[in-house]
Amino acid sequence: MPVADLRVPSRLGGDVSLTADAIIGFQAALRGQLLQPSSPGYDTARTVWNGMIDRRPGLIAQCATADDVVQAVRFARAHDLLVAVRGGGHNIGGNAVCDGGLMIDLSPMTAVHVDEANRTARVEAGATLGDLDCATQAVGLATPVGVNSTTGIAGLTLGGGFGWLSRSLGLTIDNLLSADVVTAAGEPLTASANENADLFWAIRGGGGNFGVVTSFTFQLHPVGPNVLAGLIVYPLDAGGDVLRFYRDFVNTTPEEFVCWFVMRQAPPLPFLPPEWHGREILALAVCWSGDIAEGERVAKPLRDFGAPIADIIGPMPFAAWQTILDPLLTPGARNYWKSHYFREIPDSLIDTLLEHARHIPDPQTEIAFAQLGGAINRVPHDATAYAHREAEFLINVHGRWSDPAKDDTCIAWARELFRATAPYAMEGAYVNFLTHEEKDRIRAAYGSDYERLVEIKTKYDPTNLFCVNQNIRPGA
Ligand SMILES: Cc1cc2nc3c(=O)[nH]c(=O)nc-3n(C[C@H](O)[C@H](O)[C@H](O)COP(=O)(O)OP(=O)(O)OC[C@H]3O[C@@H](n4cnc5c(N)ncnc54)[C@H](O)[C@@H]3O)c2cc1C
């Protein structure tokens, strides 16, 4: 591939020129590939999960090793390039990719090494949740991660990370033992409770602000291989009664039980009667990660309630349950999210949700409610940089559609539901769910940890090399 000089915007303002020799030298230093806009694979590499994001980096360094990451950071620093870091590319605001600068793409780095005896896993930072779950479930172990297997472990972990196991085992960061990080100076170091403890604190909730993580080591726990899991689906018209029962019931269950709910138009799933396809439903998604017989007993009152359209709860492999939502969350659709944390679900919040669910603007759009609490709440607030441990629930107003002509309608609907539910919400936001336009919510997302995060940012990244993220600006 011929290499030409390249002119790209500098992160400090103005433009920088990269000579062909500099680019060739950079490629020679990498084990992975260096892509330019004319390279085969460039468009695939710059494409992220949210189809609304369309950015064109000047260069994409597809890193194969931690040393490649060191080379990429040093090159970006030497040439004052804007830097974006890609893990799984799921960030809704598109922070994995930048216009004109250098994208440090970790997606080739997907190795997972499980130490069964010590119940730990060392995971390269381009791995997806599916990569981790497959390797750990092969020996009956797991750590809490999110609910869509194609999400990147890196971004999810750096912002907190919660899923079906979090009520009993905590956030993903609560199970992080150490991380290998390349700092803005291009120096690799380890962050753990014993080494660079300030950095270790900051990367557990403070996002990608402090360096490029090249690998994570997690604590694992015995899980499965089968869990008791599945959906109970009701007509939306029954939603008021069901959700009033739900909010009282979920407070009484052991922490191995978790139940999220979704309001949407019914997809044409084989277990739903055809006459329900396309009509508004409320679906409860249940996962019990303890003894199966005990789970049957715990879930019974919920399963006995009302007159569901379908109940498909049963034992299934945990690794399969971890992929169950994948078909509804495929990459490429247009997505616009708004989210809030809640301590409780009052009647008037239920009424507000139901009213908006009746006007969902697209068959792919949904209102998703995650149950948190339990072990997440028990970790001391100052142990990590995740600021919202008291939250019991989180709403994701998940606007999703395919036709760009529906942008305005779908975005307006999501904003309106966000506004209408705000009176019931806690302060703050989940850093991993912020869109690119929610700059005004970044400080609230870091909450009372913000000042300490600024101090640590100033120490490890004083010139804000890592700024394409939910950014914490270094001090003067
Ligand atoms: C379909 C879907 C389902 C989701 N479900 C859940 C869920 O169940 N639970 C949950 O907690 N979250 C969930 N999320 C949110 C998810 O945690 C965030 O989108 C997260 O940012 C994804 O990480 P990523 O590596 O895929 O993203 P990327 O877009 O690659 O990166 C996200 C951010 O992290 C930075 N970053 C990435 N890799 C590194 C690295 N190695 N070092 C330093 N910085 C890095 C990026 O620069 C960017 O700012 C979901 C998202 C999607 C799209």
Side-chain angles (χ1 to χ4, degrees), residues 164-165 167-168 228 253-258 287-291:
W164 302 116
L165 302 178
R167 210 174 157 233
S168 54
L228 184 73
T253 59
E255 290 174 354
E256 290 89 346
F257 181 91
V258 66
C287 179
W288 163 268
S289 53
D291 171 74

Side-chain angles (χ1 to χ4, degrees), residues 85 87-91 95 106 146-148 152 154-156 162 211 213 430 432:
V85 182
H90 265 216
N91 179 261
N95 283 330
L106 294 157
V147 302
N148 173 223
L156 177 123
F162 57 79
V213 177
Y430 182 34
N432 275 350

